[in-house]
Amino acid sequence: MTSADGETDNALAAAAAGGDRNAFGDLLERHYDRIHRLAWQITGSRNDADDISQDVCCTLVACIGDFRGDAKFSTWLYAIVVNQCRAHHRRRSAIRRLAQGLETMVRFSAVSDGRDAYDAAWLKSAIAQLKPDLRETLALVVGQQLSHREASEVLGVAEKTISWRMHEARRLLSGTGSGAP
C-alpha cells in the first residue's frame, strides 16, 4: 500500500467517523478482502473467516470514531481483525475445532492446482497446532507480508517478540523442536 493509499484511508476514516456512509462503504470495499484473508490465515477456516469478517465490519461501525490516525489505518484495522479472531477462538468449543480441522484437511486434499495435496494438508495441520500467538504472527508476517515492526504494532508486542515468534514457528514447523508443534 502506498503513502497515498494511507492518506486516502485516513481521509475516508475521518469522513466515516463524521457519519459519511459512502466513505465507510469505500473503506470496507478497499479493505474487505484483506480482512477476510487475514481472518482465514489465522483461523484456517473460510467459514470462520466469513463470520469474523462480518464481526469486524460491525465492530468498525461502532469504533470508526476511535481511529486517531496515529498508525496507518490498515495497521489499526489488522489489530481489530486479530482481536476478533482471538474472541472467536475463545468462543469455539473443542468439538467444533475438531470438526473444522477435519473439514480443512478434506478441503485441502481436494486441491488440484498442481501442489502436493498431502504436503499442503500437513502444513495446514501443523500451523493449526501452533499456539495462537505464533499463528497470528505467521499470518501477519508471511500471509500479509507485514514487517516485524508493523506486526508488532498490530499485536501490541515488542518487535523482538515478533522476531522470536517467527524463529520459534520456523523451528517447530521444521521439526527441530523438542516436541510436535
Side-chain angles (χ1 to χ4, degrees):
M1 185 177 291
T2 66
S3 176
D5 288 338
E7 291 171 15
T8 300
D9 286 343
N10 288 352
L12 288 171
D20 185 335
R21 290 180 183 194
N22 290 330
F24 187 80
D26 289 346
L27 270 177
L28 286 182
E29 187 174 323
R30 289 170 63 97
H31 293 280
Y32 186 83
D33 289 343
R34 289 182 189 110
I35 293 167
H36 192 273
R37 187 171 39 250
L38 177 57
W40 193 344
Q41 289 171 336
I42 290 174
T43 65
S45 167
R46 181 178 181 178
N47 290 335
D48 288 346
D50 292 343
D51 293 342
I52 290 165
S53 297
Q54 290 176 5
D55 290 344
V56 168
C57 291
C58 292
T59 299
L60 280 176
V61 170
C63 71
I64 190 70
D66 296 340
F67 177 67
R68 295 183 308 272
D70 297 338
K72 291 191 312 188
F73 179 79
S74 59
T75 302
W76 181 78
L77 180 60
Y78 284 144
I80 292 172
V81 175
V82 168
N83 286 334
Q84 287 293 336
C85 288
R86 288 174 178 169
H88 182 79
H89 179 72
R90 286 189 300 267
R91 291 187 302 258
R92 288 193 313 187
S93 69
I95 294 172
R96 181 175 162 112
R97 275 195 312 272
L98 176 61
Q100 289 170 341
L102 294 174
E103 280 179 23
T104 300
M105 291 183 73
V106 168
R107 192 169 50 245
F108 275 105
S109 65
V111 173
S112 61
D113 64 355
R115 294 184 306 170
D116 184 345
Y118 176 80
D119 286 346
W122 176 88
L123 181 60
K124 194 67 174 176
S125 176
I127 290 171
Q129 292 177 39
L130 293 173
K131 292 179 185 176
D133 60 340
L134 297 179
R135 280 197 315 269
E136 293 165 357
T137 301
L138 278 174
L140 290 169
V141 173
V142 177
Q144 296 299 314
Q145 298 179 345
L146 294 184
S147 68
H148 287 202
R149 182 186 56 75
E150 291 170 321
S152 72
E153 290 175 19
V154 170
L155 296 174
V157 298
E159 189 173 341
K160 288 180 181 182
T161 301
I162 298 299
S163 297
W164 178 86
R165 286 178 180 176
M166 289 300 296
H167 170 77
E168 184 68 4
R170 283 187 202 106
R171 184 182 69 79
L172 291 169
L173 291 174
S174 71
T176 60
S178 58

